[in-house]
Amino acid sequence: MGEKRTPSGFLLKQRAFLKLYLITLTEQERLYGLKLLDVLRQEFKPFGYRPNHSEVYKALHDLIEDGILKQVKQKKEGMKYQEVVYYRFAEGGQEKAKLYKRQLKAELDRCAALIRKAIEDNFG
C-alpha cells in the first residue's frame, strides 16, 4: 500500500468505501464476514445502498493482501466441526489501517465537495 492514494477522478470507488467501513467495524470488534455484511446492509438501507456478498468479501481479501487484516478460524460455539472465520488486525495492521483511513478521509472530502458543487450549480 503506497503512502498516497491516487484519486479516481470522479467519486470514491465502492471497494475503497467498503474497505473503510470494514476497518472501522473491525476496530469496533464486529469480526466475522456475514455479520459484517449484515451490519453494512442495515447501516445503508435508508440510503438505498445494499452491498453484495462478493464485493464485501473482495474488500476483505484486499485488506488481507494489504497486510491490514488477517483471518482467524475458530470453532463455532456449540458445534463440533463448524468453523467461523473472524477478521482481526494483522501485525502492524492497525497502523496501516490508520494510514488508509487518513487517505480515504481526504478522498471523501473531495467527493463531498464535488457533490455539493453539483447540487449548488444545478438546483441552486
Side-chain angles (χ1 to χ4, degrees):
M1 186 165 54
E3 279 299 306
K4 195 159 182 145
R5 187 176 187 288
T6 306
S8 63
F10 190 54
L11 297 177
L12 190 67
K13 294 187 185 291
Q14 177 180 233
R15 181 90 46 92
F17 182 81
L18 289 172
K19 287 167 65 173
L20 175 65
Y21 271 89
L22 291 169
I23 288 170
T24 299
L25 292 171
T26 301
E27 290 169 342
Q28 297 169 356
E29 304 286 326
R30 298 182 185 166
L31 303 171
Y32 66 95
L34 287 177
K35 178 67 174 170
L36 292 167
L37 180 63
D38 289 343
V39 169
L40 289 169
R41 286 179 173 172
Q42 194 61 35
E43 288 288 319
F44 295 111
K45 188 176 183 177
F47 305 100
Y49 174 56
R50 187 176 192 272
N52 68 43
H53 182 272
S54 65
E55 278 304 313
V56 170
Y57 279 94
K58 285 177 186 176
L60 282 167
H61 294 157
D62 281 357
L63 290 169
I64 291 168
E65 288 176 19
D66 292 342
I68 294 173
L69 296 182
K70 65 180 180 180
Q71 292 180 329
V72 178
K73 293 181 181 179
Q74 292 182 331
K75 296 270 188 246
K76 191 170 181 179
E77 200 171 302
M79 303 299 268
K80 189 173 182 177
Y81 299 107
Q82 191 174 4
E83 289 183 330
V84 177
V85 176
Y86 290 88
Y87 294 88
R88 295 201 171 98
F89 286 109
E91 189 172 327
Q94 285 181 306
E95 287 305 312
K96 290 177 181 178
K98 286 178 188 175
L99 173 62
Y100 188 78
K101 286 178 80 168
R102 279 195 305 271
Q103 293 170 345
L104 261 285
K105 172 71 167 88
E107 183 75 358
L108 284 170
D109 288 342
R110 185 190 67 77
C111 293
L114 183 63
I115 290 171
R116 278 193 302 277
K117 178 174 176 28
I119 292 169
E120 243 175 62
D121 290 353
N122 294 287
F123 305 101

